[in-house]
Amino acid sequence: MAGPSLRPHVHWAQRHRELYLRVELSDVQHPDIAITDNVLHFKAQGHGAKGDNIYEFQIEFLEPVEPKPVCRVTQRQLNITVQKKESNWWERLTKQEKRPLFLAPDFDRWLDESDAEMELKEKEEEKINKMKIESRVPKDPFKHLKKGYLVMYNLVQFLGFSWIFVNMTVRLFILGKSFYDTFHTIADMMYFCQTLALMEIMNSLIGLVRSPLIPAVVQVFGRNFILFVVLGSLEEMQSKPVVFFIFYFWSIIELFRYPYYMLSCIGIEWKPLTWLRYTTWIPLYPLGGLAEAVCIIQSIPIFSETGKYSLGLPNPLNVTIQFSFLLQIYLIALFLGVFVNFRHLYKQRKQHLGPKKRKMK
């Protein structure tokens, strides 16, 4: 004959809408839990008071409950939550008046009826207050339109910089083309992308995105100054190898930035992309800033010789402000701009990739 089944120690507590059962079994395997005809059937293998064995028990509830219990297994115990069919307070857990020996109150979660009513009242008040706060927040009728615009903007920029990156990579590493024709083959697309990038300043200015305004202004105007003023106006600069490095560093950075923002607009986060977005800039921003500085330094003698963009002041001053002198000042501003963006991105990296703070209970 089979011996009597082993029963684990079970602790219980209740609220007006729920029952909580804590089964004292560790390393639980293959739990079989079901509610039939208002009776909870439990069977599982685990380590309890009688060692590693199969434990089982049954509980016939005092009043009707929902037939679908929720089970959560941890290394040290097994927790079962059962929903009451009606929200009320039970005088005991089981239909039989005498409490089973394996069953005891869970004093860690135990509340008497008045305390449970107070807890329920607080939850209801919290829910009502939350609904009131949400009702006060005006709904934005243009929310979907704004989201659609941001998705399209980031998609177009991603496709543009992807074309630049792929074109430059294929031409140099597969077709064996030289550095010297980069501007003549890539400039039109770079003009388009960097002109469109002015919208990033506008988006931040009108509050369409939460990005700070200063870093956006520094990056967009800094790049456009190099592209339109230095490279676009000096044919001598357009055939220099430094153009390749400037365009290449710019495009690699944007390959990860724009798809990250595009997915963020629709509430999607892909962790590898997040890591790339907030990591690749660490080598690329200093290298891009160095390439831009080399470009400025190489252009200074050309601007000095041609006198282009130099400003002559009228008499009695009779002084000419050389544009090359302004470029030397711009070099200082360039490194300050790199520092501003570097500091901004470092803070963002800590926010997105840093260790998560534990919530206080």
Side-chain angles (χ1 to χ4, degrees), residues 22 60 82 94 96 103 110 152 161 217 223 244 253 257 270 276 292 325 332 345 357:
R22 176 164 54 86
E60 184 177 5
V82 179
T94 60
Q96 65 184 76
L103 192 63
W110 193 267
M152 287 303 301
F161 280 104
V217 171
R223 286 186 180 182
F244 174 88
I253 290 172
R257 190 167 74 98
W270 187 36
L276 288 168
E292 292 175 26
F325 173 74
I332 301 174
L345 287 170
K357 293 182 179 178

Side-chain angles (χ1 to χ4, degrees), residues 65-330:
V65 297
E66 298 293 341
K68 295 182 179 180
V70 177
C71 174
R72 186 170 64 89
V73 179
T74 66
Q75 189 175 359
R76 300 181 59 184
Q77 62 193 25
L78 186 146
N79 298 297
I80 304 172
T81 302
V82 179
Q83 297 290 330
K84 299 177 181 177
K85 280 197 172 181
E86 294 183 4
S87 176
N88 56 27
W89 194 259
W90 294 4
E91 61 181 20
R92 61 180 183 273
L93 179 66
T94 60
K95 194 168 186 179
Q96 65 184 76
E97 291 188 10
K98 186 177 180 181
R99 177 173 57 84
L101 296 177
F102 67 89
L103 192 63
D106 186 351
F107 292 108
D108 291 337
R109 304 192 70 167
W110 193 267
L111 292 178
D112 58 30
E113 185 175 2
S114 59
D115 291 334
E117 287 179 352
M118 184 66 69
E119 182 185 69
L120 183 63
K121 185 177 179 182
E122 289 176 356
K123 287 182 178 179
E124 291 293 337
E125 289 178 352
E126 184 179 349
K127 186 177 179 181
I128 293 172
N129 291 334
K130 185 178 179 181
M131 291 175 63
K132 286 181 179 179
I133 293 172
E134 290 177 352
S135 64
R136 291 173 189 165
V137 178
K139 294 183 179 179
D140 187 356
F142 303 106
K143 178 181 179 180
H144 296 294
L145 184 63
K146 293 175 181 177
K147 185 181 292 186
Y149 155 73
L150 289 173
V151 169
M152 287 303 301
Y153 168 78
N154 287 292
L155 176 61
V156 169
Q157 288 287 60
F158 170 66
L159 293 176
F161 280 104
S162 296
W163 184 91
I164 292 171
F165 174 79
V166 172
N167 192 296
M168 294 177 68
T169 302
V170 170
R171 286 177 58 82
L172 181 67
F173 297 105
I174 298 179
L175 301 180
K177 301 293 183 180
S178 67
F179 291 104
Y180 302 101
D181 61 349
T182 299
F183 187 87
H184 302 289
T185 56
I186 303 297
D188 289 341
M189 182 59 75
M190 188 62 79
Y191 279 143
F192 170 77
C193 290
Q194 283 305 129
T195 302
L196 191 61
L198 291 169
M199 295 304 299
E200 295 185 25
I201 299 175
M202 184 60 64
N203 295 340
S204 180
L205 195 62
I206 64 176
L208 199 58
V209 296
R210 291 182 294 177
S211 301
L213 179 62
I214 298 301
V217 171
V218 169
Q219 175 167 304
V220 173
F221 278 107
R223 286 186 180 182
N224 285 352
F225 179 81
I226 297 292
L227 179 63
F228 289 96
V229 177
V230 178
L231 299 178
S233 64
L234 293 180
E235 292 186 9
E236 298 90 337
M237 289 297 301
Q238 295 172 6
S239 59
K240 292 187 178 294
V242 71
V243 179
F244 174 88
F245 293 102
I246 291 174
F247 286 5
Y248 209 59
F249 291 143
W250 287 358
S251 63
I252 296 175
I253 290 172
E254 308 306 8
L255 282 181
F256 306 116
R257 190 167 74 98
Y258 284 117
Y260 170 79
Y261 287 140
M262 181 178 66
L263 292 179
S264 296
C265 291
I266 55 178
I268 297 175
E269 181 180 4
W270 187 36
K271 290 185 178 179
L273 182 60
T274 303
W275 186 87
L276 288 168
R277 160 69 184 107
Y278 291 106
T279 303
T280 53
W281 63 268
I282 297 174
L284 292 175
Y285 261 75
L287 289 173
L290 181 62
E292 292 175 26
V294 170
C295 179
I296 294 293
I297 292 170
Q298 291 180 345
S299 70
I300 287 176
I302 302 174
F303 279 111
S304 297
E305 183 179 344
T306 60
K308 199 166 191 176
Y309 300 135
S310 295
L311 179 62
L313 299 179
N315 288 329
L317 296 176
N318 197 22
V319 175
T320 300
I321 300 177
Q322 295 289 335
F323 188 69
S324 57
F325 173 74
L326 297 179
L327 287 178
Q328 295 174 38
I329 298 176
Y330 177 78

